[in-house]
């Protein structure tokens, strides 16, 4: 069954409010529950891309609450999802530093948001929290809404990215309040298991599913098609193009790719993505770094793009250069679906996607020379590059299918109310 069929069958014949009686969908169970999805951001990060098709599959009996407005709302609405934004600037803008300095003044806003979320959650059978702040606010409100809480974990919970207090709060809520955690990778599940003392086997792993059909729609198999595609995107037609996809942030390691580029005289680097969560200084720093390295003419800053299949298929190789373990790495899977060889940093969820020399190449995180050698090797042996790319596509279609993802997620939601 393809994704649109699956989505149609999960929805009742007449779309409407979440209070509709739940008739049988594709998913077994006494009745299909209504679900409120809660996400803290309006930006399009990996967690939001993962929620998008799931919320769409549940439009007839689900709604989304966002804690900040942004492009994610429009994307959800385009997909027929009902969205409500409950934003409170004082709570949305809380960062690690502000929490330390200013927690007391934020308390009234936090309490207001917990109450507002609980009011919404009471209209549904299940509260599905998709980000960490959403989990904390949704779980703290459980005495008010008394609904099972499912947390879709998209992070590796460690000190690399989170404060001590934050980890402590997450640990206790995950252990005592959240009813079911579902992780996007074994790496994410194991980190939470170690933090909260929850046995890893109680955290099911449901990897993201990605729509392979979107990649089939872009023609780039022949040299002519690829040249036309590059022209359309404003990229050099004849250069060897290495693409790096994802938001601009220090831990995504775009600076590592620039260092590698400086050692690869005739390669061009295409950076697709924008600073989504305030990393503007890093983005500016990358331009400066390119100047200092003398590679400005060979770096293309494309900004945030909606048409990833086209941008990926225009590349010769796709890089992933994160210096911290990636919770999953959707861009790696997408690179494989695009039929391009992938060179990825060997840590975290990426190890559940790429097997070195089988469906891609792995380098150690931060290893500039490793990336240079891997690109040289692929250029020297185009036959190997083609074999890795072909295998990558096969493996990504098998392991990260949208149908399997939607089916497993909606079953997990159904189980939460039993
Ligand atoms: N993405 C996009 N346009 C961009 C940059 C990124 O659509 O310009 C998408 C990308 O296709 C992927 C997601 O953003 O689906 C990033 O997910 P990933 O798991 O790689 O990283 P995260 O944002 O979760 O750290």
């Amino acid at each position: 069954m393809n994704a649109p069929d699956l989505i149609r069958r999960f929805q009742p014949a007449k779309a409407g409010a979440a209070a509709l009686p739940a008739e049988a969908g594709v998913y077994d169970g006494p009745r299909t529950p209504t679900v409120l999805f809660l996400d803290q951001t309006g930006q399009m990060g990996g967690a939001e891309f993962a929620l998008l098709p799931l919320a769409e599959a549940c439009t007839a009996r689900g709604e989304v609450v966002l804690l900040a407005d942004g492009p994610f709302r429009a994307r959800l609405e385009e997909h027929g999802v009902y969205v409500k934004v409950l934003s409170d600037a004082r709570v949305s803008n809380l960062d690690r530093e502000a929490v330390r300095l200013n927690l007391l003044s934020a308390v009234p806003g936090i309490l207001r948001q917990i109450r507002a979320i609980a009011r919404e959650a009471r209209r549904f059978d299940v509260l599905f929290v998709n980000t960490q702040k959403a989990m904390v606010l949704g779980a703290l409100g459980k005495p008010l809404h008394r609904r099972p809480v499912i947390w879709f974990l998209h992070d590796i919970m460690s000190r690399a990215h989170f404060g001590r207090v934050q980890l402590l709060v997450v640990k206790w809520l995950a252990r005592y309040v959240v009813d079911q955690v579902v992780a996007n990778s074994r790496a994410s599940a194991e980190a939470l298991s170690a933090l909260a003392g929850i046995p890893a086997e109680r955290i099911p792993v449901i990897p993201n599913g990605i729509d392979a059909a979107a990649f089939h729609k872009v023609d780039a198999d022949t040299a002519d098609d690829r040249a036309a595609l590059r022209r359309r995107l404003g990229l050099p037609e004849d250069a060897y193009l290495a693409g790096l996809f994802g938001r601009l942030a220090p831990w995504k390691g775009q600076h590592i790719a620039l260092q590698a580029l400086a050692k690869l005289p005739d390669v061009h680097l295409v950076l697709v993505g924008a600073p989504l969560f305030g990393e503007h200084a890093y983005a500016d720093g990358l331009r400066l770094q390119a100047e200092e390295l003398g590679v400005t003419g060979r770096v293309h800053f494309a900004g945030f793009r909606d048409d990833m299949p086209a941008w990926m298929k225009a590349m010769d190789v796709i890089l992933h250069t994160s210096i911290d373990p990636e919770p999953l790495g959707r861009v790696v899977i997408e690179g494989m679906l695009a039929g391009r060889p992938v060179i990825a940093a060997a840590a975290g969820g990426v190890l559940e996607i790429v097997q070195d020399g089988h469906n891609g190449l792995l380098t150690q995180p931060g290893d500039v020379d490793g990336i240079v050698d891997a690109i040289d090797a692929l250029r020297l042996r185009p036959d190997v590059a083609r074999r890795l790319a072909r295998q990558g596509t096969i493996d990504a279609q098998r392991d990260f299918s949208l149908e399997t993802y939607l089916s497993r997620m909606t079953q997990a939601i159904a189980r939460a109310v039993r």
Side-chain angles (χ1 to χ4, degrees), residues 44-295:
M44 293 301 306
E48 290 65 41
F49 277 106
L51 180 57
L52 188 61
L54 180 60
E56 183 185 6
C58 300
T59 40
R61 41 175 64 84
E63 293 179 12
V64 173
V65 164
L66 300 181
L67 301 181
D69 205 352
F72 188 29
R73 176 170 59 82
R75 287 291 281 267
L76 285 161
E77 287 171 349
E78 274 163 29
H79 285 79
V81 180
Y82 182 82
V83 187
K84 188 176 242 177
V85 177
L86 291 180
S87 101
D88 181 322
R90 277 162 305 183
V91 183
S92 306
N93 297 335
L94 271 186
D95 58 17
R96 216 193 281 186
E97 193 56 20
V99 167
R100 209 174 299 135
L101 298 176
N102 210 9
L103 188 57
L104 274 185
S105 67
V107 166
I110 294 173
L111 290 177
R112 253 197 319 279
Q113 239 182 4
I114 291 173
R115 275 199 298 270
I117 291 165
R119 249 195 317 276
E120 297 296 328
R122 272 201 296 271
R123 300 192 292 116
F124 297 83
D125 296 322
V126 184
L127 176 61
F128 182 107
V129 289
N130 195 50
T131 55
Q132 241 188 86
K133 197 186 284 180
M135 184 281 273
V136 171
L137 298 174
L140 286 174
K142 196 171 166 187
L144 301 175
H145 60 71
R146 296 198 298 275
R147 296 295 180 269
V149 177
I150 304 183
W151 177 24
F152 193 8
L153 172 65
H154 300 274
D155 292 311
I156 291 185
M157 300 302 312
S158 76
R159 286 286 283 138
H161 295 276
F162 304 105
R164 220 182 289 280
V165 175
Q166 198 174 356
L167 289 178
L168 202 68
V169 171
V170 164
K171 169 179 164 172
W172 288 100
L173 292 175
R175 206 190 269 181
Y176 297 115
V177 184
V178 171
D179 296 84
Q180 180 66 62
V181 185
V182 173
N184 66 345
S185 68
R186 279 200 305 280
S188 301
E190 280 162 14
L192 181 69
S193 166
L195 172 77
I198 304 171
E201 60 276 13
R202 282 194 17 222
I203 307 177
V205 173
I206 305 185
N208 285 202
I210 292 171
D211 182 17
F215 291 82
H216 298 151
K217 288 181 193 145
V218 181
D219 289 328
D221 291 337
T222 67
D224 282 350
D225 286 343
R226 187 142 14 153
L229 179 61
R230 287 182 173 190
R231 268 198 305 279
R232 173 160 78 77
L233 300 177
L235 293 170
E237 273 173 51
D238 299 323
Y240 186 89
L241 294 187
L244 177 51
F245 298 81
R247 60 200 156 89
L248 304 184
W251 76 273
K252 293 287 187 183
Q254 281 90 0
H255 59 288
I256 300 289
L258 283 176
Q259 287 172 35
L261 184 68
K263 298 183 173 198
L264 292 158
D266 51 352
V267 171
H268 284 232
L269 176 67
V270 184
L271 295 175
V272 179
L276 291 189
F277 303 109
E279 303 94 343
H280 296 281
Y282 179 70
D284 294 343
L286 290 173
R287 289 176 193 275
L288 213 62
Q289 184 192 0
E291 262 170 49
E292 282 165 8
L293 291 170
V295 295

Side-chain angles (χ1 to χ4, degrees), residues 330-346:
R330 288 174 56 94
V331 287
V332 175
I333 304 165
E334 291 163 349
M336 290 158 78
L337 289 174
R340 297 293 172 261
V342 167
I343 300 172

